[in-house]
Amino acid sequence: MRNVFLAALATILMTTAANAQTKQEKDVAAIKKMCGCYEVEFNFAETFSYSEEIDYEPSRTKRTGALEWVQLIEESDDDNLMLQHLLVVGKGDEQFVIKHWREDWLFENRDLYMYHADNKWNYEKKSKEDVAGQWTQKVFQVDDSPRYEGSATWVHVDGKSFWINKTDAPLPRREYTQRSDYNVSVRGNHIEITPEGWLHDQDNLKVLRKDGKEDFVVAEEKGLNVYKKVDDAKCQAAIDWWKDNNAMWADVRKSWDKVFGKDQDLALKDKVDNKRLYEHLFSLDPATKPKEIKEIIMSFVQ
């Protein structure tokens, strides 16, 4: 009887372990499905405003499209994946490539840089219990400086795979050149894998944050970015561009890793020599030495 009990217990434990492993494998598979060549629709509309200003003007509804290549550039042991986004602009011989944002996915990551406001991020150390089974999505600007981070669980149910998180972020580029009445975007992120590709559904708050005062919600915003998979050949220009430029951007990431590795609050300058960081880095030759790259990046760290 005892042997039967032990055999049954062993079967249960092995089944549990197998299921846990299968869950993480499903998570990794879902993340990897975001790679490839996509025709993307970017849609944003301000829905509700709460401003007390009589002459308040909401942001105009924005709908744009793009061709985007998403490439897995690093992977380690099913718990750390790095995806680089590249925009392909123009047609035929006039096509050119723009380095876009980057997203890192880390399993049960405990170290996060949470956006506060006005180019400042607060370092937070999470407990093991807080992040058990979760994936952190770390989103970076086009110059690989921090943007926003959040941790949540990938869910696989009824044939669907999705990840939902809410976190604070800087204003998107389409807003910070136009708006100064708020300084934090509280992003409600819903990433879901679809039969056609994937989508990024957003329910965002436009928040004015001042130290010592309660956050004021200026307005709400709906965003829906739809990624439709197309033949990889359409993004060949991006594939070729990354081959020529990936070594330099690996050096950029190494410099940033040293900054993040200090595990302390971070503040960045908006401009140095009247130029933003991406303007400095985008003008560099792919063969630029790591020392020069590091000096540029450190000039922005306060």
Side-chain angles (χ1 to χ4, degrees), residues 17-265:
N19 286 341
Q21 183 181 23
T22 301
K23 168 64 171 63
Q24 189 171 342
E25 289 175 349
K26 287 181 179 179
D27 296 346
V28 171
I31 294 169
K32 287 184 175 181
K33 283 182 179 178
M34 293 191 287
C35 296
C37 187
Y38 296 91
E39 291 177 349
V40 191
E41 292 181 4
F42 300 102
N43 304 281
F44 293 94
E46 193 166 304
T47 54
F48 303 100
S49 61
Y50 307 101
S51 175
E52 298 173 352
E53 300 296 328
I54 298 176
D55 57 350
Y56 175 79
E57 292 188 16
S59 296
R60 297 178 60 184
T61 297
K62 183 170 184 178
R63 296 189 63 190
T64 58
L67 185 63
E68 187 150 11
W69 173 249
V70 186
Q71 180 167 333
L72 178 67
I73 60 173
E74 286 190 20
E75 178 182 9
S76 60
D77 301 327
D78 282 348
D79 60 6
N80 188 343
L81 298 95
M82 184 180 295
L83 279 58
Q84 178 63 59
H85 292 239
L86 301 170
L87 287 175
V88 181
V89 182
K91 296 181 179 181
D93 295 337
E94 296 182 356
Q95 273 191 343
F96 62 96
V97 177
I98 301 174
K99 182 179 179 293
H100 208 194
W101 57 291
R102 186 182 107 229
E103 54 181 317
D104 293 359
W105 290 89
L106 286 72
F107 186 64
E108 295 186 340
N109 166 64
R110 297 174 61 192
D111 302 296
L112 289 95
Y113 279 86
M114 305 303 292
Y115 189 65
H116 174 65
D118 306 320
N119 262 9
K120 297 177 182 178
W121 289 259
N122 295 331
Y123 171 75
E124 292 186 13
K125 183 79 171 182
K126 300 289 187 180
S127 69
K128 291 182 179 179
E129 293 74 20
D130 285 341
V131 299
Q134 294 187 349
W135 287 83
T136 296
Q137 184 201 36
K138 291 176 174 276
V139 174
F140 300 87
Q141 308 270 25
V142 297
D143 49 30
D144 287 322
S145 62
R147 185 159 177 74
Y148 64 85
E149 306 182 1
S151 184
T153 304
W154 272 94
V155 177
H156 311 284
V157 63
D158 294 338
K160 297 180 179 180
S161 295
F162 56 88
W163 181 93
I164 300 175
N165 174 260
K166 179 177 286 187
T167 192
D168 296 345
L171 272 62
R173 185 168 300 171
R174 61 188 159 79
E175 288 280 273
Y176 78 66
T177 57
Q178 307 292 327
R179 301 282 293 266
S180 60
D181 57 332
Y182 76 102
N183 58 351
V184 177
S185 174
V186 180
R187 301 180 62 111
N189 296 311
H190 176 148
I191 296 173
E192 182 170 339
I193 308 303
T194 68
E196 295 78 24
W198 57 284
L199 59 83
H200 184 189
D201 193 0
Q202 303 169 52
D203 290 291
N204 305 327
L205 302 178
K206 300 181 179 183
V207 171
L208 177 62
R209 178 170 295 163
K210 294 183 178 180
D211 291 340
K213 293 187 177 181
E214 186 175 348
D215 284 359
F216 177 73
V217 178
V218 176
E220 297 184 33
E221 177 187 65
K222 183 65 183 178
L224 182 61
N225 300 339
V226 181
Y227 290 74
K228 182 179 179 182
K229 192 79 183 294
V230 295
D231 193 289
D232 286 356
K234 285 193 171 184
C235 290
Q236 189 61 48
I239 297 171
D240 295 340
W241 186 93
W242 188 247
K243 288 179 181 177
D244 294 336
N245 292 272
N246 75 87
M248 190 200 88
W249 288 102
D251 289 333
V252 171
R253 296 195 303 275
K254 288 177 183 177
S255 292
W256 276 119
D257 285 344
K258 293 178 181 178
V259 175
F260 300 140
K262 295 179 180 179
D263 294 344
Q264 62 187 28
D265 295 349

